[in-house]
Amino acid sequence: MDETVIPSEPHYRMEGFTNQRLCVVPRPQVEAALTRPGTRRLFVTDAGYFPAAEGHGRRRARGTPETIVILCIAGSGVVTLDTAQHVLTPGACIVIPAGLPHQYVTSPENPWTIWWLHVRGTDVPDLTQLLTSEERPVLRLRSLDRVVSLFDELVSLLERRLSPAHLLAASGVAWHLLSRIVADSILPAEGSPLERAMRYLEARIDGTIQVKELAALVGMSPSHLSALFREATGSGPNAFHTSLKMSRARGLLDTTTMPVTEIALAVGYTDPLYFSRHFRRIHGTSPTLYRAQHKG
């Protein structure tokens, strides 16, 4: 772990890094955007890219009106929220809620490279709740390239022009970016026990398996595996497997003329009546009526 120490009397560089990218929306435009339907819910006020940012740091004793997102892609640094210090290394992302006292500083030995943005809007508090937790203040991203690509698209839009249309497009990219960070931090890492369990269930939609057996296959206790499933999907392993079965069933109903009895067998139900009851409970209609509905 990086042993960066935040100095008591800091003299930070706030910007001016070689090959940096920095976009700041004039505050009158920010205030106007926060009254418009397309941007009042989420609006990017500042964004940038600081490569190998030697000496970079900021201290804000009263926080900022915006929520701040920092993504480290190289080097390291320390972010202090109130009095708690959090180390950022490549692939780590942290969200600083609006109004929260904070300080951040790059490592003197290994200066960080970061993408960052500031956002305001009526929906930002709800997004902040999804992006932050006391248990996981630092988010570890798995699809780093995708998130970096969205940061690049966002900054490119703001560099090009600050017209209402470009600002609206930037808000749309920011929605995608923040939702990607939320999803990416929740989804299981490749090769992890949870990911292996999910792949096992995906490959066996026409079968059944007890949670105890599934847990043994991936080397953990049933209770721990169930807790991981609930955190990642909102439900347990059985409900996840059922959702896969129902997705396959809908696909077969929509794209084939297979009888319902054969579709039931294809998704692991030996009793077509039980399958139909289960399908109705989830979809509010029978498989036959679902197939007859006009879609698209």
Side-chain angles (χ1 to χ4, degrees):
M1 179 177 289
D2 190 286
E3 297 296 330
T4 301
V5 176
I6 298 179
S8 57
E9 297 293 337
H11 298 285
Y12 298 141
R13 288 178 66 192
M14 294 184 288
E15 58 176 288
F17 308 103
T18 302
N19 296 322
Q20 75 170 29
R21 300 169 70 185
L22 174 62
C23 305
V24 178
V25 180
R27 269 26 194 180
Q29 282 187 267
V30 171
E31 297 305 323
L34 291 172
T35 67
R36 292 195 291 265
T39 49
R40 65 186 174 206
R41 296 171 62 185
L42 179 75
F43 184 75
V44 179
T45 64
D46 312 77
Y49 168 71
F50 289 169
E54 184 177 353
H56 177 237
R58 293 297 298 266
R59 171 187 282 174
R60 298 184 179 98
R62 297 182 180 178
T64 64
E66 305 87 26
T67 290
I68 302 171
V69 179
I70 301 174
L71 170 65
C72 178
I73 63 170
S76 65
V78 171
V79 178
T80 303
L81 304 181
D82 274 337
T83 59
Q85 289 192 359
H86 309 285
V87 175
L88 257 61
T89 53
C93 178
I94 196 165
V95 176
I96 305 173
L100 182 68
H102 63 269
Q103 183 171 265
Y104 47 82
V105 59
T106 188
S107 165
E109 297 80 18
N110 189 19
W112 63 15
T113 294
I114 57 172
W115 289 91
W116 56 271
L117 62 80
H118 293 211
V119 288
R120 288 176 60 185
T122 57
D123 284 358
V124 171
D126 288 339
L127 279 169
T128 302
Q129 285 188 342
L130 292 173
L131 289 161
T132 60
S133 71
E134 292 183 4
E135 298 80 16
R136 292 192 310 158
V138 176
L139 304 173
R140 300 297 311 181
L141 303 187
R142 298 173 183 90
S143 301
L144 186 60
D145 289 347
R146 294 183 183 180
V147 176
V148 167
S149 177
L150 289 168
F151 260 113
D152 180 63
E153 182 180 356
L154 171 63
V155 173
S156 295
L157 275 167
L158 295 177
E159 287 174 330
R160 196 171 304 141
R161 197 175 304 149
L162 295 180
S163 68
H166 281 75
L167 295 176
L168 177 60
S171 291
V173 174
W175 271 109
H176 190 181
L177 169 61
L178 296 178
S179 60
R180 166 61 67 179
I181 290 174
V182 172
D184 202 49
S185 66
I186 294 173
L187 292 174
E190 187 173 350
S192 68
L194 178 58
E195 195 266 344
R196 295 194 337 259
M198 287 179 164
R199 280 196 285 111
Y200 185 91
L201 296 177
E202 288 168 349
R204 289 161 179 81
I205 291 177
D206 60 349
T208 59
I209 185 172
Q210 298 297 316
V211 175
K212 182 178 180 181
E213 298 173 51
L214 184 63
L217 283 171
V218 299
M220 61 174 43
S221 69
S223 60
H224 189 194
L225 181 63
S226 295
L228 291 177
F229 262 96
R230 284 192 294 272
E231 181 182 1
T233 71
S235 58
N238 287 332
F240 177 76
H241 203 196
T242 297
S243 71
L244 296 174
K245 291 172 179 285
M246 291 298 145
S247 178
R248 173 71 62 81
R250 290 194 303 273
L252 293 173
L253 288 166
D254 288 335
T255 61
T256 76
T257 59
M258 289 172 60
V260 171
T261 54
E262 290 183 19
I263 291 176
L265 287 172
V267 296
Y269 290 83
T270 56
D271 183 347
L273 292 178
Y274 179 65
F275 165 72
S276 293
R277 287 196 298 271
H278 209 166
F279 190 96
R280 180 186 290 275
R281 184 164 69 246
I282 293 172
H283 298 90
T285 188
S286 70
T288 301
L289 290 177
Y290 172 87
R291 171 175 268 168
Q293 290 174 352
H294 294 291
K295 304 177 183 74

